[in-house]
Amino acid sequence: MKTISDHSAVVDIERYFRLSFEENEWRKQAACLGMQTDFFFLDVGNGWVEMDAIKTVCDACPVQHQCAEYAIKNSIQDGMWGGMTLTQRRRYGIKQGWLTPRKKDRERAQK
């Protein structure tokens, strides 16, 4: 099992990328299909170069938004999905109406 450590949590990378094509038909069209999964799970301290490389793949992907939606609706905290970090996915999920803003997000929006 490939794992990464994100603070105190250990993440099973393969669990996130198991393909259930019947439920997630969109994955067959993903630009990352067949790529190393750990590419999308940045180690703590990795910089903008790695994030830019991921975004380049995701920005060219025809199912980028379905990927982000999958991560949001399945509460996936780790990795970049749809070219978005967790924070970016939260904002996108709120904008799409899939998530409710957290208290600190509501307070920030009121300022």
Side-chain angles (χ1 to χ4, degrees), residues 82-95:
M84 298 180 209
T85 63
L86 176 60
T87 301
Q88 292 166 332
R89 289 194 307 271
R90 280 187 181 137
R91 287 184 193 133
Y92 182 71
I94 291 167
K95 183 178 175 183

Side-chain angles (χ1 to χ4, degrees), residues 2 22 31 41:
K2 291 182 184 180
E22 290 143 18
F41 290 83

